């Protein structure tokens, strides 16, 4: 039976999608996991894979055309199968994608050729209508400053890996780009020579301005340079798709820590892995050329090996994250503010001065938590920390108190359907907050492995922008430094942040007797616009119960 493939909603704000490229044509055999097309959304270009086996019987939107979300994009079924009844639901989208060719009376078999001609014609017209500075010689590719996060307005070149005149191959690292959240490798998608560098090392430039130009050796690119470094407004659909693809892959394609090579993974599988908190480097692909597909994520069984290896290095890594400064008597020194430091200052100031903070502090008896941790760590391939236990208990408490898992907007309060816990990590430039997606659905081993992995990559500037977005609540832990209690500034758009102190052995009163006990203080900073005092107190009561009686997490 034929399967109708509709235009997917690939982002929350997407209303229609444009087909940047078809990887299959009508009549081609299609297998589950095959890339059908590249869909251009309002944010990026993403691969769209098939979930079915069969033959591509119908294409609802031609290459270069667009159609609304949920309209018929394609139909897959058995060769020769009658699908006339299924096509009817796509009249609007089909006409949107093919009206130009139909109006011209072009036969079906010539549409693809005509589309190519139209694109080439568009290129010619745009070059003729654009200014001289916007003209692009044959074989030359203009690389613009990518938007590597939703809030990024400019990028700083932390380091160039290529210099003028160097040969560049597809996949080579061109530069390290410092955004408002992290430093990320930026790789080339083209072959050629580096003809122009628009931003010197240590300099910054706005998103979409010319970062570099790649092309055949000796090509004159002065016309492009004289345009002032601004991206042409008349860029073609093809160039637009390439630019968006470059941004998407750089921002969200995971990079293997050991080899520097990208992990081949489908967008659907990647989204599922993020939602489940699975490190894509731990997955083994069964798709074409070892590509990770949906079923690989569904069948994945996590291992605690990563957590075991990293456990002994946690405190050393935190200390290593602090910047090293030499003190010279009587001599002042300066450290230029990094992009990350500037953004930290801006965001924390906005949070402190716009959100009415108040603080709740509670002392937890950790005796049973200590016993529970010893028993858990006695299991094979298991090594968890108290921080992992706090994160798990916090995520479960947020389930019962959704008001704390909310965000303030001018006209409404958004209660999030997912519990995504941000974990504050110290880096040389300040602080980043990698996010555990759906932390309430993760077990201790998964939380431990994910935290160790992301904390390690944060310190080596290996985190991706999408790994630091989407938090609904945050946790900050200074207990390893012996800090008994402290208060944190809310990490907006969250409405609360939990500060975790050290476990202290001290005299406590138990059953009317003074005995030695182990206690830990938790401080909850709340945005009073969203979380009232009673609501915050009830959340802490639940969290306290989970930590003092660990077995209640199983109820």
């Amino acid at each position: 039976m034929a399967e109708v493939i509709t235009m997917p909603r690939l982002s929350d704000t997407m209303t229609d999608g444009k087909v940047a490229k078809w990887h299959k044509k009508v009549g081609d055999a299609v297998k589950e996991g095959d890339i059908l097309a590249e869909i251009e959304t309002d944010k990026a270009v993403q691969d769209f894979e098939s979930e079915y086996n069969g033959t591509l019987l119908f294409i609802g939107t031609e290459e270069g055309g667009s159609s609304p979300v949920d309209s018929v994009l394609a139909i897959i079924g058995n060769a020769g199968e009658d699908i006339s009844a299924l096509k009817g639901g796509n009249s609007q989208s089909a006409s949107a994608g093919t009206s130009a060719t139909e109006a011209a009376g072009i036969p079906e078999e010539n549409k693809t050729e005509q589309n190519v001609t139209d694109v080439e014609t568009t290129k010619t017209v745009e070059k003729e209508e654009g200014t001289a500075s916007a003209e692009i010689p044959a074989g030359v590719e203009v690389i613009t400053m990518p938007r590597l996060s939703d809030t990024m307005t400019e990028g700083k070149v932390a380091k160039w890996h290529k210099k003028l005149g160097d040969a560049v191959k597809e996949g080579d690292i061109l530069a390290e780009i410092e955004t408002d959240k992290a430093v990320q490798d930026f790789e080339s998608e083209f072959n050629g020579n580096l003809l122009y560098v628009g931003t010197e090392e240590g300099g910054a430039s706005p998103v979409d301005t010319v970062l570099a130009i790649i092309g055949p050796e000796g090509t004159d690119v002065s016309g492009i340079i004289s345009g002032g470094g601004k991206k042409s407004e008349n860029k073609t659909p093809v160039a637009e798709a390439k630019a968006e693809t470059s941004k998407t892959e750089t921002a969200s394609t995971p990079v293997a820590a050991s080899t520097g090579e990208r992990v081949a993974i489908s967008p659907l599988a990647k989204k599922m892995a993020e939602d489940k908190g699975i490190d894509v480097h731990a997955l083994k692909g069964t798709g074409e050329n070892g590509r990770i597909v949906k079923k690989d994520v569904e069948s994945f069984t996590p291992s605690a090996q990563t957590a075991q290896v990293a456990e002994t290095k946690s405190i050393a890594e935190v200390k290593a994250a602090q910047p090293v400064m030499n003190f010279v008597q009587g001599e002042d020194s300066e450290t230029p503010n990094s992009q990350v430091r500037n953004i930290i200052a801006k965001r924390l100031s906005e949070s402190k001065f716009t959100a009415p903070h108040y603080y709740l502090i509670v002392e937890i008896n950790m005796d049973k938590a200590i016993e529970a941790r010893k028993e858990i760590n006695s299991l094979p391939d298991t090594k968890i920390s108290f921080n992992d236990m706090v994160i798990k208990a916090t995520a479960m408490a947020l389930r019962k108190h959704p008001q704390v898992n909310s965000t303030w907007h001018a006209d409404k309060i958004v209660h999030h359907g997912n519990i995504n816990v941000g974990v504050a990590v110290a880096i040389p430039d300040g602080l980043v907050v990698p996010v555990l997606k759906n932390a309430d659905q993760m077990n201790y081993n998964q939380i431990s492995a994910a935290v160790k992995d992301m904390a390690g990559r944060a310190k080596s500037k290996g985190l991706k922008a999408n790994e630091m977005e989407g938090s609904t609540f945050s946790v900050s832990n200074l207990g390893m430094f012996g800090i008994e209690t402290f208060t944190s500034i809310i990490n907006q758009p969250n409405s609360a942040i939990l500060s975790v102190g050290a476990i202290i052995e001290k005299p406590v009163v138990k059953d009317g007797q003074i005995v030695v006990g182990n206690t830990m203080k938790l401080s909850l900073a709340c945005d009073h616009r969203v979380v009232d005092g009673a609501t915050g107190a009830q959340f802490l009561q639940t969290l306290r119960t989970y930590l003092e009686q660990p077995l209640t997490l199983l109820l």
Side-chain angles (χ1 to χ4, degrees), residues 271-278 391-392 395-396 398-399 405 416-422 435-443 446-447 450 454 469-473:
K271 178 69 166 57
M272 290 175 63
E274 288 176 355
D275 291 345
K276 292 185 176 184
I278 298 173
I391 291 171
K392 177 64 176 178
M396 298 301 289
L398 288 171
R399 270 193 191 178
N405 196 54
H416 299 291
N418 293 326
I419 296 173
N420 302 332
V421 178
V435 180
L436 299 179
K437 304 291 177 66
N438 292 314
D440 58 317
Q441 299 176 24
M442 301 171 70
N443 59 37
Q446 289 172 323
I447 291 173
M454 289 196 292
E469 296 175 346
S471 69
T472 59
F473 186 93

Side-chain angles (χ1 to χ4, degrees), residues 12-13 403 405-416 493 495 527 529-531:
D12 293 339
T13 56
Q403 187 72 19
N405 196 54
S406 304
T407 296
W408 170 265
H409 290 276
D411 58 343
K412 61 189 174 184
I413 294 175
V414 176
H415 309 291
H416 299 291
S495 293
D527 182 344
R529 297 174 299 179
V530 181
V531 182

Side-chain angles (χ1 to χ4, degrees), residues 360-364 366 476-488 498-508 517-524:
L360 300 172
I361 299 175
V362 65
E363 191 170 46
I364 309 291
M366 293 294 287
S476 179
N477 190 339
L478 292 179
M480 72 276 294
F481 296 106
I483 303 300
E484 292 187 39
T485 183
F486 67 103
T487 57
S488 302
L498 185 72
S499 304
V500 183
I503 298 176
I504 303 296
E505 189 178 48
K506 68 177 187 179
V508 298
N518 294 278
T519 65
M520 178 179 71
K521 288 184 179 179
L522 300 178
S523 172
L524 183 69

Side-chain angles (χ1 to χ4, degrees), residues 358 360 528 531-538:
Y358 72 91
L360 300 172
H528 216 320
V531 182
D532 295 328
T535 304
Q538 290 164 0

